[in-house]
């Protein structure tokens, strides 16, 4: 069982930045593709970014491409999401998740590909 714990959420003004972190309990962390998802009130959970086991490749949703950067440190069992130029529409609960899909991470763009989830961290962007 992999336990994931997100941190770093908070309230920020539009145009600001936040860095989310996700700490994993598993020694097998490097075996997982890791993703970030978000869910706004009244909306479905949506894909944000994904990173392969060894850091490349990465993929982003069109809505965050060029503003967010996903990274991981397998030595520390962490995955991070640097969020810049934040917009009010980025307001959501952000979740990190682990997927056993590793051969082709384009198959890990949907929430159904993930088997372990964190509890989420709230990000609120004020206008």
């Amino acid at each position: 069982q992999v336990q994931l714990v997100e941190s770093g959420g908070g309230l920020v003004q539009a145009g600001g930045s936040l860095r989310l972190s996700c700490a994993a309990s598993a020694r097998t962390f490097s075996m997982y593709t890791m993703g970030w998802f978000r869910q706004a009130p009244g909306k479905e959970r949506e894909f944000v970014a994904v990173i392969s086991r060894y850091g490349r490749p990465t993929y982003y949703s069109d809505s965050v491409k060029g503003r967010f950067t996903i990274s991981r440190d397998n030595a520390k069992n962490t995955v991070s999401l640097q969020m810049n130029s934040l917009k009010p529409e980025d307001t959501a609960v952000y979740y990190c998740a682990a997927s056993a899909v590793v051969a082709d991470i384009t198959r890990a763009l949907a929430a159904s590909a993930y088997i372990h989830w964190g509890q989420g961290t709230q990000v609120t962007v004020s206008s």
Side-chain angles (χ1 to χ4, degrees), residues 43-92:
K43 295 187 177 181
E44 293 186 354
R45 191 168 298 189
E46 67 171 350
F47 166 77
V48 174
V50 62
I51 187 166
S52 68
R53 289 183 294 172
Y54 301 115
R56 291 187 178 184
T58 59
Y59 291 98
Y60 299 89
S61 68
D62 288 343
S63 61
V64 309
K65 196 175 299 181
R67 299 187 298 122
F68 290 11
T69 303
I70 188 171
S71 60
R72 68 188 296 163
D73 185 336
N74 287 341
K76 297 181 178 179
N77 285 4
T78 59
V79 59
S80 298
L81 186 69
Q82 177 65 42
M83 307 186 295
N84 298 329
S85 303
L86 283 161
K87 305 175 181 180
E89 50 264 44
D90 293 319
T91 295

Side-chain angles (χ1 to χ4, degrees), residues 8-11 18 20 39-41 90-94 120-125:
L11 174 65
L18 280 175
L20 305 182
Q39 188 166 17
D90 293 319
T91 295
V93 177
Y94 283 71
T121 186
Q122 176 70 47
V123 172
T124 303
V125 184

